[in-house]
Amino acid sequence: MRIIYFLSLLFVFNLSVGQKSKPILVEAKYAVNSNNTWSFKEAKSKKFIPFSKNNSLNIGYNKQSAVWCYFKIKNNDSKNDRKTWLCFDNNHIDSLVFYNPNKEKVLGDRTTTPSPYIDSQAFEINLKPNEERVCYIKIIKEISFLQFAFHLAEEQTLARKSHVKIAIVSFLLGIILLLIVFNFILFYIYKEKLYGFYIIYTFLSAFYIMISSNYAKNFLWPDFLYFSECRIYISSLWFINLGFFASYFLDFKKYYPIKNKIIFTLNKVNYSIIISSLICLFLDKLAFIKMFFVLGYINFLFIIGLVIWSTFQYFKIDKVKSVSTFLGFLPQFIWMSAVILRSFQIIPKSLPENWLIIITFHEVFLFGFILNKNYIDTFIKNKNLITEISAEKDKAIQTITRVQIRERRTIANIIHDNLGSKIAYILQLIQLKNSTLAYESIKELATDIRVISHEILPKSLDDGALLNSLKRQIRILNSGKKNTVVELFTYDFPEKIDKDWVYDLYLVSLELINNAFKHGKATTVTIEFYGYPESYVFQYSDNGIGFNNATFAKGFGLENIEKRILFYKGTFAVESQDQQGTTVQICLPK
């Protein structure tokens, strides 16, 4: 029983607090003047229909009509003065004329007077204790769908909401500005249309946020009288650019050419609708504008639906892009669907207008993040690639240095072993004054020097005689070794080639032969040259001990050969098995 008493006391207390928290009562009615001909005196004599606060009043498509609202507001407090604000949640009404017994006040897009608070169109009402006041408000929206709701609000609440909204919109606009600047730099560098469409889309989004939030009217251009038209046409251009951006982002031209054509065709229709509606507006042919509104709404809805449908199909191609596009466009699709269905009174309510600011920023930030992330990833990949190229260059320099050292050491050994001893012998003959023998030794030395120079790099290579140079060298090799043989075959291969790689291919051939006899323990080496319409092919094979391809890492010699071939944009392939010899194939483009 005590619990019941306690709960009863709480209930009574809550009722008393509720009575005190609502000291101002309001009675509201409205009447529609379809041709906007009533004067204030005439309007007061008309029959008004009751409606309650916070319930949205939808007049539908409006053509130069006026809605008159009647308000009876009473201060239910018998001791204190009360100040309240009569607020309308639609910031895009052309004009609201407040008829008060003491004064008239005008707010709206078609006026030069912005609302005191950015969150709503608000009129101040001061009431003495127990005072009851009647006021009328004339609401005009010349062309568009007219929908609004009213409520009473305290000054502190309005100020707090307005400050929060100003801070949020300012922050969002700052972020959008940074995205525009950053993507403009990327567009300037890469000249990609995707960045250009994103910049236009983001720029239009910023304007749309400023107009929809009443930021532009309150802070930037209070004397501007055409925000309603700007809002409609900027949103139209915004949706058109959104379609282009989506088609480029998902690469419709490559993967969905038919859908790409449909989107471009529909966007051309949208441009035609915009131009036609502007002409009708200029010629005062307002009866046709509703038709253009309806066609534009349906067209945009179809484009967004087509984009979302394509994102599901694109999931098989790129999961990240597909999911991000779906998340980006789904809120816009829901918003647009709600606006259209509410405009035709198919559903009772539309989404709150502040949601559009969040949806717009969501799209801009999401796609901006993706584009910038793609750039950063590309930048990091390029940086890593440059690092790898630099490392390869360093490695190549080290390889070249080692090759030079090895070749110089080889030349030094040849000079020391073959030439040094003969020169010393000639000097002894000169000291002994044996000129005849010295003369013969000098002639023999000259022959040796000529042979050695041909072994190192034959003079005939300067004329492109690769085959002739190799045949001469192979002849010398075969004559100097008894148990080994080197065979050379040619198939449609020219005798002379005007290519820089003849020197490298000559040295590569000798290096492979040397490796076959020295390391591969081969007894037979076969070299073949093929001439094809588009390329030259060099094939080497031996019957040596070979190696295992799976476990063998390219040694210094093979790695150096491969680098030489790749420098000329050729291909290099090695095939070998244990105890089954080695095959090397080199293909060089003509």
Side-chain angles (χ1 to χ4, degrees):
M1 185 63 69
R2 290 179 181 178
I3 295 175
I4 293 174
Y5 289 153
F6 177 72
L7 292 176
S8 300
L9 287 172
L10 284 178
F11 179 74
V12 172
F13 176 76
N14 285 332
L15 284 178
S16 62
V17 170
Q19 290 292 331
K20 289 181 181 179
S21 64
K22 298 180 180 179
I24 297 178
L25 303 178
V26 61
E27 178 187 354
K29 300 177 183 180
Y30 77 96
V32 179
N33 180 202
S34 59
N35 52 9
N36 191 17
T37 57
W38 297 347
S39 65
F40 177 49
K41 214 176 257 190
E42 289 175 320
K44 289 197 293 183
S45 63
K46 301 297 180 180
K47 184 179 179 181
F48 283 75
I49 304 169
F51 75 110
S52 57
K53 62 181 179 179
N54 296 321
N55 286 339
S56 183
L57 184 62
N58 188 0
I59 308 302
Y61 183 76
N62 183 49
K63 296 184 295 182
Q64 294 184 325
S65 299
V67 179
W68 288 84
C69 294
Y70 161 90
F71 296 99
K72 183 192 287 184
I73 303 171
K74 182 180 179 181
N75 181 7
N76 215 26
D77 192 337
S78 59
K79 296 181 180 179
N80 302 311
D81 291 348
R82 292 285 178 178
K83 182 168 74 170
T84 189
W85 290 81
L86 180 59
C87 304
F88 293 84
D89 62 359
N90 189 342
N91 276 322
H92 309 292
I93 296 172
D94 289 345
S95 65
L96 299 94
V97 184
F98 180 73
Y99 294 92
N100 201 31
N102 301 324
K103 59 181 179 179
E104 288 184 8
K105 189 173 183 180
V106 180
L107 298 176
D109 277 350
R110 281 280 195 274
T111 71
T112 57
T113 309
S115 174
Y117 298 101
I118 191 175
D119 196 51
S120 60
Q121 304 289 339
F123 297 96
E124 182 181 4
I125 298 176
N126 293 298
L127 297 170
K128 294 180 180 180
N130 289 325
E131 181 183 357
E132 183 178 86
R133 184 177 301 175
V134 174
C135 58
Y136 290 83
I137 294 181
K138 180 184 178 182
I139 299 174
I140 298 175
K141 182 71 173 176
E142 291 183 358
I143 305 166
S144 189
F145 294 90
L146 177 57
Q147 180 180 342
F148 64 90
F150 84 93
H151 66 279
L152 298 177
E154 298 295 328
E155 187 170 8
Q156 290 181 346
T157 303
L158 277 176
R160 178 175 52 81
K161 286 184 177 179
S162 293
H163 291 156
V164 170
K165 189 171 184 178
I166 292 167
I168 291 173
V169 173
S170 299
F171 174 74
L172 296 184
L173 291 175
I175 296 294
I176 290 174
L177 180 62
L178 289 176
L179 290 172
I180 289 174
V181 171
F182 191 74
N183 282 277
F184 182 80
I185 295 171
L186 297 182
F187 176 72
Y188 180 78
I189 295 171
Y190 295 107
K191 302 294 187 299
E192 289 188 14
K193 287 184 179 180
L194 183 63
Y195 291 111
F197 281 121
Y198 178 78
I199 292 167
I200 298 171
Y201 163 66
T202 308
F203 188 77
L204 292 172
S205 298
F207 265 94
Y208 194 71
I209 287 175
M210 286 191 290
I211 293 173
S212 295
S213 64
N214 218 25
Y215 192 91
K217 182 70 176 179
N218 276 57
F219 297 105
L220 302 177
W221 307 288
D223 297 334
F224 188 70
L225 303 179
Y226 300 100
F227 278 119
S228 293
E229 286 80 1
C230 285
R231 181 169 175 259
I232 293 170
Y233 290 112
I234 284 177
S235 65
S236 300
L237 294 173
W238 177 39
F239 273 107
I240 289 171
N241 193 77
L242 196 61
F244 286 131
F245 173 77
S247 64
Y248 273 93
F249 185 72
L250 297 179
D251 203 359
F252 278 19
K253 191 173 182 179
K254 178 180 179 181
Y255 297 107
Y256 312 112
I258 296 175
K259 292 187 180 71
N260 186 63
K261 288 181 180 178
I262 292 173
I263 288 177
F264 272 71
T265 302
L266 291 177
N267 278 332
K268 288 178 182 178
V269 173
N270 286 332
Y271 279 125
S272 302
I273 290 173
I274 290 173
I275 294 170
S276 301
S277 64
L278 284 171
I279 293 171
C280 289
L281 192 63
F282 180 75
L283 297 176
D284 201 25
K285 302 293 184 181
L286 305 181
F288 297 100
I289 292 184
K290 181 181 179 180
M291 177 186 69
F292 291 126
F293 279 166
V294 173
L295 288 174
Y297 278 151
I298 294 173
N299 214 0
F300 289 134
L301 189 62
F302 188 77
I303 289 173
I304 296 175
L306 187 63
V307 170
I308 290 180
W309 177 33
S310 301
T311 57
F312 286 106
Q313 297 178 313
Y314 197 81
F315 189 80
K316 296 178 182 179
I317 301 170
D318 190 326
K319 294 180 181 179
V320 175
K321 275 191 176 182
S322 175
V323 172
S324 60
T325 306
F326 177 75
L327 293 176
F329 283 97
L330 183 62
Q332 194 66 260
F333 180 76
I334 295 172
W335 168 266
M336 195 66 187
S337 302
V339 169
I340 295 172
L341 296 175
R342 177 57 178 158
S343 299
F344 296 106
Q345 299 183 353
I346 297 174
I347 60 175
K349 289 185 178 181
S350 59
L351 297 174
E353 193 169 86
N354 287 338
W355 284 30
L356 187 59
I357 299 173
I358 299 171
I359 290 171
T360 304
F361 180 73
H362 161 74
E363 286 182 357
V364 170
F365 185 77
L366 177 65
F367 289 116
F369 172 77
I370 292 169
L371 291 179
N372 294 336
K373 185 177 182 299
N374 289 342
Y375 166 75
I376 292 170
D377 291 344
T378 304
F379 178 80
I380 292 173
K381 286 180 182 178
N382 289 340
K383 185 179 179 182
N384 292 337
L385 183 61
I386 291 171
T387 304
E388 290 176 6
I389 291 172
S390 178
E392 284 295 321
K393 284 183 178 179
D394 293 340
K395 191 175 180 181
I397 291 171
Q398 293 174 3
T399 302
I400 291 169
T401 303
R402 292 204 301 266
V403 169
Q404 289 176 341
I405 292 171
R406 189 183 67 178
E407 290 178 349
R408 288 177 181 179
R409 185 179 291 114
T410 302
I411 294 170
N413 290 335
I414 291 172
I415 292 172
H416 180 269
D417 296 339
N418 296 332
L419 305 181
S421 58
K422 290 184 178 181
I423 292 172
Y425 176 65
I426 291 169
L427 289 174
Q428 288 178 352
L429 291 176
I430 292 172
Q431 288 177 355
L432 295 172
K433 298 180 180 181
N434 191 343
S435 58
T436 303
L437 192 56
Y439 175 75
E440 292 297 329
S441 297
I442 290 173
K443 283 177 64 177
E444 185 181 343
L445 179 62
T447 303
D448 289 345
I449 290 173
R450 186 168 62 254
V451 170
I452 291 170
S453 68
H454 280 290
E455 287 181 359
I456 295 172
L457 205 63
K459 182 69 176 174
S460 57
L461 282 179
D462 294 338
D463 299 324
L466 174 62
L467 293 179
N468 187 40
S469 302
L470 272 176
K471 286 176 183 177
R472 187 183 299 115
Q473 190 61 35
I474 289 172
R475 198 179 303 118
I476 295 171
L477 290 172
N478 285 333
S479 64
K481 295 187 177 183
K482 296 180 180 179
N483 299 324
T484 60
V485 61
V486 180
E487 299 174 325
L488 176 65
F489 302 99
T490 62
Y491 307 92
D492 297 327
F493 198 88
E495 290 293 328
K496 291 186 178 182
I497 298 177
D498 185 18
K499 296 287 184 182
D500 293 338
W501 47 256
V502 294
Y503 300 98
D504 289 282
L505 203 54
Y506 174 82
L507 295 174
V508 165
S509 302
L510 296 184
E511 188 166 357
L512 288 173
I513 293 170
N514 179 61
N515 288 342
F517 295 143
K518 185 177 180 181
H519 304 294
K521 297 182 173 48
T523 58
T524 303
V525 171
T526 303
I527 294 176
E528 299 167 283
F529 288 92
Y530 299 86
Y532 293 106
E534 301 296 330
S535 61
Y536 296 112
V537 174
F538 163 83
Q539 184 162 299
Y540 158 90
S541 59
D542 65 43
N543 64 346
I545 60 175
F547 53 85
N548 189 342
N549 258 6
T551 58
F552 178 76
K554 290 177 184 175
F556 174 71
L558 288 178
E559 185 180 9
N560 180 42
I561 293 171
E562 184 176 23
K563 285 183 181 297
R564 290 180 185 181
I565 302 306
L566 293 179
F567 176 78
Y568 296 109
K569 295 181 172 53
T571 58
F572 176 81
V574 179
E575 290 292 335
S576 183
Q577 292 183 0
D578 286 335
Q579 306 303 323
Q580 293 187 25
T582 302
T583 300
V584 176
Q585 190 174 78
I586 295 170
C587 181
L588 292 162
K590 282 192 176 180

